[in-house]
Amino acid sequence: MTEKQIKLVVGSLLHDIGKVVYRSGDGRNHSQSGYDYLKNETEMEDSDILHCVLFHHSANLKITSLGKKDLSYITYFADNVAASADRREDVEQEEGFDRELPLASVFNILNGNQEKKHYARRILDTDGDINFPTDEPIAMDENFYKEIIHNITDNLRGISFTEGYINSLLSVLEANLSYIPSSTSKRELADISLYDHMKITAAVAQCVEQYLEQQQIEDYRETLYIQGSKSYAQKMFLLYSMDISGIQDFIYTTASKGALKNLRARSFYLEILMEHLVDELLSELSLSRANLICQGGGHCYMLLPNTVSVKKIIDGQEKRTNQWFLKEFGTALYVACGYAECSANDLKNEPEGSYAELYLTMSDIISRKKLHRYDAEEIRFLNGRKQKGKRECIVCRKMSAVDSEGRCPVCAALHKMAEGILKQEFFTVLNSDAKDALPLPGDKFLVADTKEELTARMESSSYVRAYAKNRLYTGKYVASKLWTGDYATGDTFEQFARGAQGIERLGVLRADVDNLGQAFVQGFSREDGGEKYVTLSRTAALSRQLSLFFKCYINQILEKGKSHCLGAVGKRKAAIVYSGGDDVFLVGAWNDIVESFVDIRQALSRFTQNTLTISGGIGIYSPGYPINVIAGEVARLEELSKGVDGKNAVTVFDESGTYSWNVFSESVIGDKFREIESFFAVTEGYGKAFLYHVLELLCSRQAGRFNRARYVYFLSRMEPERERPKEQKEAYGRFSRKMYRWADDPQDCREVITAIYLYIYLNREKEEER
């Protein structure tokens, strides 16, 4: 970045800091409050940055005389664009402002919802409880805002306002302003946080500056202030998307030995690789992470300047990355990129429908690229590779030079780094190779570091940037906090199988959010067809909340498991293989995997106010079963759930176990499983041996070959003998009546089969299993 660009992004990120000062008891205009705060409390002396804060509103610009290229004109324009995308009048309008107004939930208006929930007043603390939307009364009082200002002041004094610290500034603002509303107007929805507003403002400002430079426009005042309304229609921006294909096959292609560690290491490596591609591109474009709108699950969206040089750079990175993928991984991974030219009006969805059209344009470009991946040069490279002296890697099956264990260089490095990937807090990108480092595109390398090792590396010429896992840190070129689902209570499949209740089996879950792409594009449309809430700001806010849930809060959900349908509450015996922007892959003790999915589903429902649902499949396996086969089978189970009308479903074990969540929770577990469990609890297991015969007959009933006489016989054999207590006989009466009724109805029969399997697996004795 040039010095001018650094000042612009810092000034734009801090332009509304005065709102926090104002709400802490300072009664002045927030522009003046912010200016004085930065100058006096943080000892800010740079007039360009201070101007962005003092003059970002028209009223102040009218009464001052600034140079025609003063950066405050760009911040003013960017703030208006961001605010226009933020602010939408509420249905129930009131006059005036309310300093104590809490941040409303962005899920209040998603997918037809009409709730009025909000968030508790707090900072973004990953160690605290999840900040679920609530309708409990919340008041953002002056003392809370004073605490926020105190936190920010301490951090700003430790930051040097240079390029290397811009992402640290973003982290400080995210930590403190994520649950503070941007606007406290009672006429408007207060569902955009001050952090999201300031971040979008900085993103827009950086794009506008580069666009004006390319157009050789010298008079910012005339273009952005006097003629600002005309500039809203100019195609100043590119909404850009990057998508990596082949991620899941890459993760699951691994040897059986040490499979769990390898799976988690490969998953984390791809996550870092995507972060690296984002940061490399932003660096080459002289932009910051403010321009990253959302990222997760192998794809991302960015707001970029619409210039010839930017288009050339993004095309060049796409080509170089695919060449690197071909060299390192063959055709296993592929990146496709697409962009749509857009104006400020498009970003605030004027005219209605223009914002959604941008996503359709990008999606179409990316889809076409995936159908025609390689050009003639790349195909010649693939066909001309010499395999002499190479062997097949025992892990990824790639032809390569291998070590004494039969691993290619990447798989060998992943194996050695597996412990560090799972345990270390920092991950450092270097521009020169190091021991056990993993390769990254652009001749960069990745190592796992302790805090002490990172501090030492920061002083070396090989240091590029660092990522901090699940913590908000500040420091030179600390690119970003890296929210990562890294929960694990075991290291091997065998360990989890042994820890299961009942049968010693491994459970595997694969799931993702239903219709999320549609929610991003159309989820904020109203039932009457209106699209005034469909804007860039809400896309960014929605994405950040879901990223927090699946990359950060999921660790806490598994740590504090609440479901107890198949076991006890508390810490789940499970490990996250990956948990991205909307999808999850878990392994663990089979009963805890079922409980974990119930936990995740219930937490997501509460977190999103029932506006989003999740579907998935759960398979149960012996720990030695090949992981690539498991992955394929649970993917099929997930697809069965997605095929249910309305989705919001789960498939357990096989295709006969597909149910909507309500049916599974209330009928399979709440009714049939509980009845079976209760009966055998009262009778102390009497007649349990005949349950296998009953199950076999019910399964034949599903196949159209039901022998009712034998069914009656085996149920009668489960009846307690005469000398048994009265309560056992009464329990049998209830149980047998229901079993006869359930056998007569195909749906009930299918549900009771699943319930019996769950009961048998849960109560199978270890010696019985062997």
Side-chain angles (χ1 to χ4, degrees), residues 693-713 715 739-745 749:
H693 298 292
V694 170
L695 175 62
E696 183 180 359
L697 289 164
L698 287 171
C699 289
S700 68
R701 157 79 168 83
Q702 289 294 90
R705 302 187 306 274
F706 188 45
N707 188 327
R708 176 171 288 277
R710 287 182 62 79
Y711 185 71
V712 171
Y713 168 74
L715 272 181
M739 291 297 290
Y740 286 129
R741 188 176 76 246
W742 291 337
D744 290 333
D745 181 85
C749 183

Tab-separated table of all heavy atoms in Angstrom, residues 693-713 715 739-745 749:
chain	number	residue	atom	x	y	z
A	693	HIS	N	-35.555	-61.010	17.539
A	693	HIS	CA	-36.531	-61.697	16.683
A	693	HIS	C	-37.636	-60.742	16.253
A	693	HIS	O	-38.086	-60.776	15.098
A	693	HIS	CB	-37.132	-62.889	17.438
A	693	HIS	CG	-36.134	-63.938	17.814
A	693	HIS	ND1	-35.490	-64.726	16.884
A	693	HIS	CD2	-35.669	-64.325	19.030
A	693	HIS	CE1	-34.671	-65.557	17.501
A	693	HIS	NE2	-34.759	-65.325	18.816
A	694	VAL	N	-38.080	-59.897	17.176
A	694	VAL	CA	-39.100	-58.905	16.848
A	694	VAL	C	-38.585	-57.968	15.759
A	694	VAL	O	-39.298	-57.649	14.796
A	694	VAL	CB	-39.501	-58.115	18.114
A	694	VAL	CG1	-40.377	-56.901	17.738
A	694	VAL	CG2	-40.241	-59.012	19.089
A	695	LEU	N	-37.329	-57.529	15.905
A	695	LEU	CA	-36.720	-56.644	14.904
A	695	LEU	C	-36.677	-57.311	13.538
A	695	LEU	O	-37.016	-56.696	12.516
A	695	LEU	CB	-35.308	-56.257	15.356
A	695	LEU	CG	-34.477	-55.438	14.370
A	695	LEU	CD1	-35.149	-54.102	14.079
A	695	LEU	CD2	-33.068	-55.199	14.922
A	696	GLU	N	-36.275	-58.569	13.499
A	696	GLU	CA	-36.187	-59.293	12.228
A	696	GLU	C	-37.547	-59.367	11.540
A	696	GLU	O	-37.662	-59.166	10.331
A	696	GLU	CB	-35.643	-60.698	12.484
A	696	GLU	CG	-35.442	-61.518	11.224
A	696	GLU	CD	-34.899	-62.902	11.525
A	696	GLU	OE1	-34.660	-63.207	12.710
A	696	GLU	OE2	-34.729	-63.688	10.567
A	697	LEU	N	-38.602	-59.641	12.320
A	697	LEU	CA	-39.942	-59.737	11.756
A	697	LEU	C	-40.454	-58.381	11.266
A	697	LEU	O	-41.127	-58.293	10.232
A	697	LEU	CB	-40.896	-60.318	12.793
A	697	LEU	CG	-40.684	-61.810	13.085
A	697	LEU	CD1	-41.382	-62.217	14.369
A	697	LEU	CD2	-41.174	-62.652	11.911
A	698	LEU	N	-40.137	-57.325	11.998
A	698	LEU	CA	-40.538	-55.979	11.558
A	698	LEU	C	-39.830	-55.606	10.251
A	698	LEU	O	-40.436	-54.973	9.374
A	698	LEU	CB	-40.232	-54.951	12.645
A	698	LEU	CG	-41.146	-54.986	13.877
A	698	LEU	CD1	-40.590	-54.073	14.968
A	698	LEU	CD2	-42.570	-54.578	13.524
A	699	CYS	N	-38.566	-55.979	10.131
A	699	CYS	CA	-37.827	-55.708	8.885
A	699	CYS	C	-38.460	-56.471	7.721
A	699	CYS	O	-38.558	-55.945	6.601
A	699	CYS	CB	-36.364	-56.098	9.049
A	699	CYS	SG	-35.432	-55.002	10.138
A	700	SER	N	-38.899	-57.728	7.979
A	700	SER	CA	-39.571	-58.492	6.918
A	700	SER	C	-40.919	-57.869	6.571
A	700	SER	O	-41.374	-57.930	5.430
A	700	SER	CB	-39.738	-59.952	7.335
A	700	SER	OG	-40.660	-60.071	8.406
A	701	ARG	N	-41.551	-57.232	7.577
A	701	ARG	CA	-42.808	-56.504	7.335
A	701	ARG	C	-42.589	-55.382	6.330
A	701	ARG	O	-43.401	-55.152	5.433
A	701	ARG	CB	-43.322	-55.959	8.670
A	701	ARG	CG	-44.271	-54.754	8.582
A	701	ARG	CD	-45.669	-55.189	8.212
A	701	ARG	NE	-46.654	-54.156	8.373
A	701	ARG	CZ	-46.928	-53.194	7.477
A	701	ARG	NH1	-46.233	-53.114	6.350
A	701	ARG	NH2	-47.899	-52.322	7.692
A	702	GLN	N	-41.481	-54.697	6.458
A	702	GLN	CA	-41.158	-53.624	5.526
A	702	GLN	C	-40.924	-54.156	4.115
A	702	GLN	O	-41.163	-53.464	3.137
A	702	GLN	CB	-39.903	-52.876	5.996
A	702	GLN	CG	-40.104	-52.020	7.242
A	702	GLN	CD	-41.041	-50.852	6.997
A	702	GLN	OE1	-42.254	-50.980	7.171
A	702	GLN	NE2	-40.505	-49.720	6.577
A	703	ALA	N	-40.457	-55.417	4.040
A	703	ALA	CA	-40.203	-56.028	2.730
A	703	ALA	C	-41.424	-56.752	2.189
A	703	ALA	O	-41.353	-57.385	1.126
A	703	ALA	CB	-39.025	-57.002	2.845
A	704	GLY	N	-42.572	-56.674	2.925
A	704	GLY	CA	-43.806	-57.285	2.446
A	704	GLY	C	-43.957	-58.756	2.774
A	704	GLY	O	-44.767	-59.455	2.150
A	705	ARG	N	-43.189	-59.248	3.758
A	705	ARG	CA	-43.253	-60.676	4.103
A	705	ARG	C	-43.483	-60.829	5.612
A	705	ARG	O	-42.742	-61.513	6.302
A	705	ARG	CB	-41.958	-61.385	3.719
A	705	ARG	CG	-41.590	-61.285	2.249
A	705	ARG	CD	-40.381	-62.164	1.925
A	705	ARG	NE	-39.259	-61.855	2.791
A	705	ARG	CZ	-38.355	-60.903	2.569
A	705	ARG	NH1	-38.465	-60.151	1.486
A	705	ARG	NH2	-37.354	-60.689	3.410
A	706	PHE	N	-44.521	-60.235	6.134
A	706	PHE	CA	-44.741	-60.204	7.570
A	706	PHE	C	-45.431	-61.479	8.066
A	706	PHE	O	-46.500	-61.853	7.588
A	706	PHE	CB	-45.596	-58.984	7.921
A	706	PHE	CG	-45.727	-58.726	9.396
A	706	PHE	CD1	-44.626	-58.791	10.238
A	706	PHE	CD2	-46.959	-58.398	9.952
A	706	PHE	CE1	-44.745	-58.530	11.604
A	706	PHE	CE2	-47.091	-58.133	11.308
A	706	PHE	CZ	-45.969	-58.209	12.134
A	707	ASN	N	-44.827	-62.131	9.063
A	707	ASN	CA	-45.424	-63.306	9.691
A	707	ASN	C	-46.000	-62.866	11.039
A	707	ASN	O	-45.315	-62.844	12.051
A	707	ASN	CB	-44.357	-64.398	9.885
A	707	ASN	CG	-44.947	-65.709	10.363
A	707	ASN	OD1	-45.925	-65.727	11.105
A	707	ASN	ND2	-44.333	-66.818	9.953
A	708	ARG	N	-47.285	-62.528	11.033
A	708	ARG	CA	-47.899	-61.975	12.238
A	708	ARG	C	-47.924	-62.979	13.385
A	708	ARG	O	-47.734	-62.611	14.553
A	708	ARG	CB	-49.321	-61.492	11.935
A	708	ARG	CG	-50.075	-60.980	13.162
A	708	ARG	CD	-51.378	-60.316	12.781
A	708	ARG	NE	-51.130	-59.033	12.156
A	708	ARG	CZ	-50.916	-57.904	12.827
A	708	ARG	NH1	-50.869	-57.908	14.150
A	708	ARG	NH2	-50.719	-56.777	12.176
A	709	ALA	N	-48.122	-64.255	13.070
A	709	ALA	CA	-48.199	-65.256	14.137
A	709	ALA	C	-46.893	-65.318	14.924
A	709	ALA	O	-46.897	-65.384	16.161
A	709	ALA	CB	-48.535	-66.623	13.546
A	710	ARG	N	-45.785	-65.317	14.202
A	710	ARG	CA	-44.489	-65.347	14.888
A	710	ARG	C	-44.246	-64.041	15.653
A	710	ARG	O	-43.639	-64.043	16.726
A	710	ARG	CB	-43.353	-65.597	13.878
A	710	ARG	CG	-43.323	-67.033	13.388
A	710	ARG	CD	-42.159	-67.275	12.433
A	710	ARG	NE	-40.860	-67.050	13.065
A	710	ARG	CZ	-40.245	-67.923	13.877
A	710	ARG	NH1	-40.834	-69.072	14.173
A	710	ARG	NH2	-39.061	-67.652	14.378
A	711	TYR	N	-44.728	-62.942	15.092
A	711	TYR	CA	-44.591	-61.651	15.773
A	711	TYR	C	-45.338	-61.681	17.111
A	711	TYR	O	-44.817	-61.273	18.158
A	711	TYR	CB	-45.131	-60.542	14.874
A	711	TYR	CG	-44.943	-59.132	15.407
A	711	TYR	CD1	-43.678	-58.555	15.444
A	711	TYR	CD2	-46.025	-58.370	15.846
A	711	TYR	CE1	-43.490	-57.256	15.919
A	711	TYR	CE2	-45.857	-57.081	16.327
A	711	TYR	CZ	-44.581	-56.529	16.360
A	711	TYR	OH	-44.401	-55.263	16.825
A	712	VAL	N	-46.576	-62.202	17.078
A	712	VAL	CA	-47.366	-62.320	18.311
A	712	VAL	C	-46.668	-63.249	19.299
A	712	VAL	O	-46.601	-62.980	20.510
A	712	VAL	CB	-48.781	-62.835	17.992
A	712	VAL	CG1	-49.549	-63.168	19.277
A	712	VAL	CG2	-49.563	-61.817	17.170
A	713	TYR	N	-46.106	-64.343	18.762
A	713	TYR	CA	-45.435	-65.318	19.624
A	713	TYR	C	-44.259	-64.684	20.362
A	713	TYR	O	-44.144	-64.813	21.593
A	713	TYR	CB	-44.961	-66.509	18.783
A	713	TYR	CG	-44.012	-67.426	19.518
A	713	TYR	CD1	-44.458	-68.289	20.517
A	713	TYR	CD2	-42.641	-67.397	19.227
A	713	TYR	CE1	-43.581	-69.121	21.204
A	713	TYR	CE2	-41.753	-68.223	19.904
A	713	TYR	CZ	-42.232	-69.079	20.886
A	713	TYR	OH	-41.357	-69.881	21.571
A	715	LEU	N	-43.549	-61.497	20.870
A	715	LEU	CA	-43.970	-60.453	21.809
A	715	LEU	C	-44.518	-61.078	23.092
A	715	LEU	O	-44.274	-60.580	24.196
A	715	LEU	CB	-45.034	-59.560	21.167
A	715	LEU	CG	-44.548	-58.361	20.354
A	715	LEU	CD1	-45.732	-57.577	19.815
A	715	LEU	CD2	-43.656	-57.444	21.173
A	739	MET	N	-46.589	-51.902	20.319
A	739	MET	CA	-45.842	-52.678	19.327
A	739	MET	C	-46.780	-53.291	18.289
A	739	MET	O	-46.461	-53.348	17.094
A	739	MET	CB	-45.024	-53.761	20.006
A	739	MET	CG	-43.857	-53.239	20.840
A	739	MET	SD	-42.593	-52.359	19.878
A	739	MET	CE	-41.867	-53.696	18.948
A	740	TYR	N	-47.952	-53.748	18.720
A	740	TYR	CA	-48.932	-54.286	17.769
A	740	TYR	C	-49.428	-53.172	16.843
A	740	TYR	O	-49.549	-53.368	15.627
A	740	TYR	CB	-50.122	-54.895	18.515
A	740	TYR	CG	-49.823	-56.220	19.172
A	740	TYR	CD1	-50.130	-56.435	20.517
A	740	TYR	CD2	-49.239	-57.266	18.449
A	740	TYR	CE1	-49.851	-57.644	21.136
A	740	TYR	CE2	-48.954	-58.485	19.056
A	740	TYR	CZ	-49.255	-58.669	20.397
A	740	TYR	OH	-48.982	-59.863	20.997
A	741	ARG	N	-49.711	-52.008	17.424
A	741	ARG	CA	-50.207	-50.894	16.618
A	741	ARG	C	-49.146	-50.401	15.637
A	741	ARG	O	-49.441	-50.147	14.466
A	741	ARG	CB	-50.654	-49.753	17.540
A	741	ARG	CG	-51.366	-48.625	16.790
A	741	ARG	CD	-51.898	-47.559	17.713
A	741	ARG	NE	-50.849	-46.672	18.210
A	741	ARG	CZ	-50.482	-46.602	19.484
A	741	ARG	NH1	-51.066	-47.362	20.393
A	741	ARG	NH2	-49.523	-45.769	19.866
A	742	TRP	N	-47.910	-50.277	16.103
A	742	TRP	CA	-46.836	-49.791	15.237
A	742	TRP	C	-46.550	-50.739	14.080
A	742	TRP	O	-46.190	-50.310	12.989
A	742	TRP	CB	-45.563	-49.592	16.068
A	742	TRP	CG	-45.666	-48.448	17.042
A	742	TRP	CD1	-46.506	-47.369	16.957
A	742	TRP	CD2	-44.925	-48.282	18.245
A	742	TRP	NE1	-46.325	-46.535	18.032
A	742	TRP	CE2	-45.350	-47.060	18.844
A	742	TRP	CE3	-43.946	-49.020	18.891
A	742	TRP	CZ2	-44.829	-46.586	20.039
A	742	TRP	CZ3	-43.419	-48.554	20.088
A	742	TRP	CH2	-43.854	-47.351	20.664
A	743	ALA	N	-46.734	-52.049	14.322
A	743	ALA	CA	-46.460	-53.018	13.258
A	743	ALA	C	-47.459	-52.898	12.113
A	743	ALA	O	-47.171	-53.304	10.976
A	743	ALA	CB	-46.489	-54.434	13.820
A	744	ASP	N	-48.639	-52.341	12.391
A	744	ASP	CA	-49.684	-52.252	11.374
A	744	ASP	C	-49.549	-51.042	10.461
A	744	ASP	O	-50.205	-50.986	9.413
A	744	ASP	CB	-51.071	-52.210	12.045
A	744	ASP	CG	-51.440	-53.546	12.667
A	744	ASP	OD1	-50.933	-54.583	12.176
A	744	ASP	OD2	-52.220	-53.551	13.638
A	745	ASP	N	-48.742	-50.074	10.859
A	745	ASP	CA	-48.600	-48.849	10.068
A	745	ASP	C	-47.194	-48.788	9.474
A	745	ASP	O	-46.199	-48.864	10.212
A	745	ASP	CB	-48.841	-47.616	10.942
A	745	ASP	CG	-48.739	-46.326	10.156
A	745	ASP	OD1	-49.739	-45.933	9.548
A	745	ASP	OD2	-47.638	-45.733	10.144
A	749	CYS	N	-43.855	-48.544	11.635
A	749	CYS	CA	-42.991	-49.730	11.591
A	749	CYS	C	-41.549	-49.334	11.285
A	749	CYS	O	-40.606	-49.826	11.924
A	749	CYS	CB	-43.521	-50.701	10.534
A	749	CYS	SG	-42.601	-52.252	10.440
